[in-house]
Amino acid sequence: MQKYLNLLNNESYFDIKTKIMGTIHLEDMEFYAYHGHFKEEQIVGNQFLINLTLKTNMEKPAVSDHLEDALNYQTAYKIIQEEMKKKSHLLENIASRILHALYREFPQLEHARIKVSKMNPPMGGKMKCVSISMEK
């Protein structure tokens, strides 16, 4: 057991070329925005929920404990916030723009999955939400 602990405490142990992959989850982010196919939706607006998962190599930040080595999820949130301010007709357009912006900002991003939900959509009946999911 002591030999194993010594190995973990040795910084060269982390030089092994294996990846420590991890997933960041940004869950149930709420935005009021003006997206929709109908003119009224772009005037009145609606509530939207965004769920995002980001997969990345977490080896370096796990060892260094420095934010600059990590995929900064506060920056990811700000990207989503800015994209939600831009009017779109389709949820697919919103999701695609967000994914492309995240990959531009984070070269270390290996996989992303987003779910965009429009709450109480104008469907002519009672419905909690309509959602689309995309991944890249």
Side-chain angles (χ1 to χ4, degrees):
M1 180 68 164
Q2 185 59 43
K3 186 175 182 179
Y4 177 72
L5 291 174
N6 288 342
L7 180 63
L8 287 178
N9 289 327
N10 181 352
E11 287 187 29
S12 65
Y13 173 77
F14 293 102
D15 292 336
I16 299 171
K17 298 295 180 197
T18 58
K19 292 182 180 181
I20 298 176
M21 297 301 295
T23 304
I24 299 168
H25 302 270
L26 284 81
E27 300 178 16
D28 295 333
M29 295 174 278
E30 296 184 22
F31 298 94
Y32 197 87
Y34 300 88
H35 308 302
H37 173 73
F38 300 111
K39 183 179 179 181
E40 295 78 15
E41 292 179 286
Q42 296 208 351
I43 295 169
V44 176
N46 203 344
Q47 192 73 26
F48 293 83
L49 285 180
I50 307 284
N51 285 282
L52 180 70
T53 58
L54 304 170
K55 292 187 180 183
T56 187
N57 184 340
M58 292 187 174
E59 183 173 8
K60 191 171 181 181
V63 174
S64 74
D65 200 25
H66 296 295
L67 182 58
E68 59 271 7
D69 294 332
L71 193 153
N72 187 330
Y73 53 82
Q74 183 176 19
T75 302
Y77 178 84
K78 287 179 181 180
I79 288 169
I80 295 166
Q81 189 176 44
E82 287 305 308
E83 291 298 327
M84 288 301 291
K85 292 177 183 177
K86 300 173 187 175
K87 287 185 180 182
S88 291
H89 292 282
L90 300 175
L91 299 177
E92 293 88 342
N93 182 262
I94 300 165
S96 176
R97 282 198 337 263
I98 291 170
L99 286 175
H100 288 295
L102 290 166
Y103 272 91
R104 279 193 303 275
E105 179 68 27
F106 301 116
Q108 72 272 41
L109 184 56
E110 297 209 10
H111 183 261
R113 185 174 199 282
I114 188 166
K115 178 180 175 186
V116 179
S117 301
K118 179 190 288 189
M119 309 311 291
N120 304 308
M123 301 289 285
K126 186 173 179 172
M127 180 186 296
K128 179 181 175 183
C129 68
V130 64
S131 304
I132 65 101
S133 296
M134 271 187 196
E135 50 191 286
K136 181 177 177 179

